[in-house]
């Protein structure tokens, strides 16, 4: 059982930047897919960014060019660098790990408790 703990959320003005971190309780060397989800007020949860063990990344269209996901297996950490933030980026951001496909849907076994990001206009 891998425990994930996010940090780095907070209040930022539009156009600003934040870096989210996710610390895993054990080695992530054998974990292929990791990522960040978010859920804004009144919105469904959405996958913001994903990264595979080989470093292949993918992003939601809404954050392409503004967000960057990375991982450091030696530190057992996952990161999300967010720039040019917009009010619509306001959400709770969740770190996820150990993704696998179930009936055509990517499902993650492990979730953090979430960290709040609020972007003011």
């Amino acid at each position: 059982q891998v425990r994930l703990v996010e940090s780095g959320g907070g209040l930022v003005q539009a156009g600003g930047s934040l870096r989210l971190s996710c610390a895993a309780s054990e080695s992530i060397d054998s974990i292929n897919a990791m990522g960040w989800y978010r859920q804004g007020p009144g919105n469904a949860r959405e996958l913001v960014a994903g990264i595979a063990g080989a470093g292949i990344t993918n992003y939601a269209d809404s954050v392409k060019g503004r967000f960057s996901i990375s991982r450091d297996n030696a530190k057992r950490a996952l990161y999300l660098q967010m720039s040019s933030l917009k009010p619509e980026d306001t959400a709770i951001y969740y770190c996820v790990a150990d993704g696998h496909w179930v009936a055509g849907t990517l499902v993650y076994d492990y979730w953090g408790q979430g960290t709040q990001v609020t972007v003011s206009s």
Side-chain angles (χ1 to χ4, degrees):
Q1 188 83 3
V2 178
R3 285 180 288 110
L4 303 171
V5 179
E6 302 94 337
S7 61
L11 174 64
V12 64
Q13 288 188 329
S17 299
L18 279 176
R19 187 193 194 208
L20 303 184
S21 298
C22 172
S25 61
E26 56 188 71
S27 172
I28 59 173
D29 288 354
S30 63
I31 296 178
N32 183 26
M34 300 186 72
W36 291 92
Y37 269 80
R38 70 183 180 187
Q39 186 166 20
N43 295 334
R45 194 170 289 183
E46 65 169 340
L47 180 63
V48 175
I51 185 168
I56 299 171
T57 59
N58 63 279
Y59 298 93
D61 288 342
S62 58
V63 306
K64 281 181 181 177
R66 300 188 299 120
F67 289 12
S68 178
I69 187 172
S70 61
R71 61 190 288 172
D72 186 334
N73 285 8
K75 294 183 178 180
R76 300 183 301 184
L78 182 71
Y79 305 101
L80 186 68
Q81 179 67 48
M82 305 184 294
S83 303
S84 302
L85 283 161
K86 304 175 181 180
E88 51 264 43
D89 294 319
T90 295
I92 299 174
Y93 284 72
Y94 300 89
C95 172
V96 295
D98 203 10
H100 53 96
W101 292 96
V102 178
T105 300
L106 185 58
V107 176
Y108 288 88
D109 286 343
Y110 303 109
W111 290 70
Q113 83 289 349
T115 185
Q116 176 71 46
V117 172
T118 303
V119 184
S120 64
S121 57

